[in-house]
Amino acid sequence: MKSQRQAKILEIISMKDIETQEQLLEALQENGYFSTQATISRDIKELRIVKELTSFGTYRYTTPAKEGVGTFSTRLNTIFRECILSFDYAKNLIVIKTMPGLASAAGAAIDAMNMSVVVGTLAGDDTVLVVMRDNNAAATFCGEIKSLLG
């Protein structure tokens, strides 16, 4: 029963935004799984479910990203969507303005992608300077940022 309930929890949080344990408990009950809040709390801990910030400024339960190929790009996508205020480039230099305190996270995410066209990054509190190998690489990367932000 426990493994079935936990599988249903994972299915529910992948299908809809669940903000609280109470909402999760109600969703489980709608699917025929009757449990207590304490049991749900233990399930969340065992499944390593975490809360993430949504684009609407609310939180939802989700499973943590698996370490591997897409992890850095996933982190970069999340960081960019949540904290980038503006960006522009001049020749081979890109300047990215972020919310206060988040520039180092954006710079670290870019560095971690190990892109051969990136020479390096320099981050302050709310600004990241990205040094690219050439002008075309800077323009292409800015285009990727623009499409990422929508």
Side-chain angles (χ1 to χ4, degrees), residues 26-52:
E26 288 174 16
L28 281 169
Q29 290 172 351
E30 290 169 4
N31 286 279
Y33 293 88
F34 297 93
S35 189
T36 65
Q37 186 273 330
T39 300
I40 299 304
S41 182
R42 281 190 297 274
D43 287 340
I44 288 169
K45 190 173 191 175
E46 286 178 21
L47 293 169
R48 293 192 165 108
I49 292 173
V50 296
K51 282 192 174 184
E52 74 175 358

Side-chain angles (χ1 to χ4, degrees), residues 61-145:
Y61 285 118
T62 186
T63 54
K66 300 261 189 266
E67 292 296 327
V69 175
T71 303
F72 291 129
S73 62
T74 302
R75 286 181 189 158
L76 182 65
N77 289 349
T78 301
I79 289 168
F80 276 16
R81 280 194 312 268
E82 299 296 330
C83 73
I84 299 298
L85 300 176
S86 66
F87 60 94
D88 203 354
Y89 72 99
K91 299 199 181 247
N92 69 321
L93 302 176
I94 301 172
V95 175
I96 301 171
K97 298 295 275 180
T98 70
M99 293 172 55
L102 297 175
S104 61
I110 293 168
D111 288 339
M113 292 180 72
N114 294 319
M115 296 184 294
S116 62
V117 294
V118 175
V119 176
T121 62
L122 179 63
D125 183 58
D126 63 354
T127 305
V128 181
L129 175 66
V130 184
V131 180
M132 305 298 283
R133 293 225 178 267
D134 57 51
N135 301 354
N136 290 337
T140 301
F141 192 64
C142 279
E144 291 174 12
I145 295 172

